Amino acid sequence: MPAPAPPTFRATEGFRSGFACFVGRPNAGKSTLTNAVVGQKIVITSDKPQTTRTVVRGIVHREDGQLVLVDTPGLHKPRTLLGERLNDLVMATWSEVDVVAVCFPSDEKIGPGDRFLVNELAKVRRTTKIAVATKTDLADPERIASHLVDIAELGRETGTEWAEIVPVSAVAGDQVDLLAQLLVGLMPEGPALYPDGDLTDAPEEVLAAELIREAALDGVHDELPHSIAVVVDEMGLREGRPDDKPLLDIYANLYVERDSQKGIVIGKKGARLRQVGTVARKQIESLLGTPVYLDLHVKVAKDWQRDPRQLRKLGF
């Protein structure tokens, strides 16, 4: 007789569990949608393309199933070794999940980038595919209707069978719950994969580094976002503090590719770096539920996006 499931796991008849990933060209709303479906911010968002560099799993707990969302970088035409590695990460993820949800922003027409992505995805035969029309809050009903027709036509042209085509707005919350319900319905039957209450399996150091990078990306010039990497060198609760007054010490380095970029990130008399630290600290405290002391430094790793040794050092 098999041992019963631990009490923190749900395993009822008809319960479904599995993995899904949101894919799309850069800035298609994937990260915002992931956060909306999970119900809490676990991945960083930015209006700068190529914000996501790590695959973070968000876990959605429902009475009828458990959905594990994998957030991937945007598929793009790579110009650097980093870009090639990010694309490889996307392709590897597609073949490992149960459902791939392709995001098409409703305020933009379907373009060559979308066509390239769906053509590549068509090569992954066994994975179920759905289409998500994102950012419906930025389009009127007539535009959304036209967009849905274009998505269906793209499926026909590429030989891609959409199991569902769903319009959603992560910002307004429109149809987010319906999307989660549809995704769970496409999962295989099986027990929960993670305990109740878990929202992500990403290490806390990764989450902290991503939130620091998000704060650093805010308001910088177009050429800088790709050049910023963040590594948490040390993270732990400060010793000697009472249990009811913990303090989490985080020491992190922001890496840029040139001295001129270092000056931009630090700002006049360090003002910009202090602002980055304040914003990031509040976000980390909100996510982890612990007061944080954050120590940030900016270093130059020359042309790190093109240097295999530097990429390894920075975790890519």
Side-chain angles (χ1 to χ4, degrees):
M1 181 176 169
T8 51
F9 287 86
R10 273 182 263 195
T12 57
E13 192 175 344
F15 193 88
R16 294 177 179 274
S17 61
F19 293 82
C21 72
F22 293 131
V23 302
R25 54 190 164 83
N27 221 12
K30 302 178 296 293
S31 298
T32 306
L33 189 54
T34 297
N35 290 334
V37 174
V38 173
Q40 183 173 325
K41 180 172 183 169
I42 57 158
V43 291
I44 70 171
T45 59
S46 171
D47 59 358
K48 307 286 188 301
Q50 292 305 295
T51 304
T52 303
R53 287 185 185 155
T54 54
V55 175
V56 177
R57 291 192 178 97
I59 304 158
V60 182
H61 304 274
R62 296 172 58 92
E63 289 300 320
D64 54 345
Q66 188 182 81
L67 183 62
V68 185
L69 293 175
V70 183
D71 186 53
T72 60
L75 195 74
H76 64 296
K77 190 173 183 178
R79 295 186 179 88
T80 63
L81 182 59
L82 171 64
E84 290 175 15
R85 292 191 177 176
L86 293 179
N87 274 0
D88 289 343
L89 189 62
V90 177
M91 301 287 202
T93 303
W94 288 357
S95 59
E96 294 170 356
V97 296
D98 300 289
V99 177
V100 175
V102 187
C103 296
F104 301 95
S106 299
D107 61 332
E108 298 175 31
K109 290 190 173 181
I110 288 174
D114 299 304
R115 197 170 302 278
F116 167 73
L117 186 151
V118 176
N119 271 316
E120 291 297 308
L121 181 58
K123 299 172 186 175
V124 185
R125 297 288 181 193
R126 291 194 299 272
T127 305
T128 301
K129 304 162 185 80
I130 74 169
V132 183
T134 57
K135 305 186 182 184
T136 56
D137 54 300
L138 300 180
D140 59 38
E142 188 177 339
R143 169 78 195 108
I144 294 168
S146 171
H147 191 53
L148 296 175
V149 170
D150 290 344
I151 291 170
E153 181 59 30
L154 179 61
R156 280 190 291 273
E157 289 174 7
T158 57
T160 302
E161 186 180 340
W162 302 123
E164 302 279 356
I165 300 178
V166 192
V168 303
S169 168
V171 172
D174 293 341
Q175 304 224 107
V176 171
D177 191 61
L178 172 65
L179 175 62
Q181 183 183 326
L182 290 171
L183 286 169
V184 168
L186 293 169
M187 296 296 135
E189 287 197 11
L193 303 167
Y194 291 90
D196 273 356
D198 283 12
L199 294 179
T200 180
D201 69 350
E204 290 183 347
E205 288 85 353
V206 169
L207 295 171
E210 287 289 275
L211 290 170
I212 294 165
R213 193 161 65 90
E214 179 184 48
L217 287 174
D218 188 34
V220 297
H221 300 299
D222 289 342
E223 76 278 2
L224 193 53
H226 306 287
S227 302
I228 297 177
V230 178
V231 175
V232 172
D233 286 340
E234 192 179 330
M235 180 169 167
L237 289 171
R238 186 173 297 185
E239 293 182 4
R241 301 273 299 190
D243 291 342
D244 60 342
K245 290 186 178 177
L247 184 64
L248 183 66
D249 287 323
I250 301 175
Y251 296 87
N253 289 315
L254 288 82
Y255 289 91
V256 293
E257 295 188 293
R258 296 188 294 279
D259 282 320
S260 59
Q261 295 171 337
K262 182 176 179 179
I264 294 170
V265 174
I266 293 173
K268 191 174 181 180
K269 295 184 178 178
R272 193 161 186 289
L273 186 61
R274 282 196 297 275
Q275 174 65 14
V276 168
T278 299
V279 171
R281 179 177 54 77
K282 289 177 180 176
Q283 292 275 16
I284 297 167
E285 287 177 344
S286 174
L287 182 65
L288 302 182
T290 307
V292 167
Y293 167 78
L294 182 59
D295 185 83
L296 298 179
H297 293 272
V298 182
K299 296 185 176 182
V300 176
K302 188 170 169 52
D303 293 330
W304 66 262
Q305 292 186 76
R306 294 170 173 80
D307 183 339
R309 188 176 59 82
Q310 297 275 26
L311 281 172
R312 280 195 299 276
K313 177 184 172 186
L314 297 176
F316 296 106

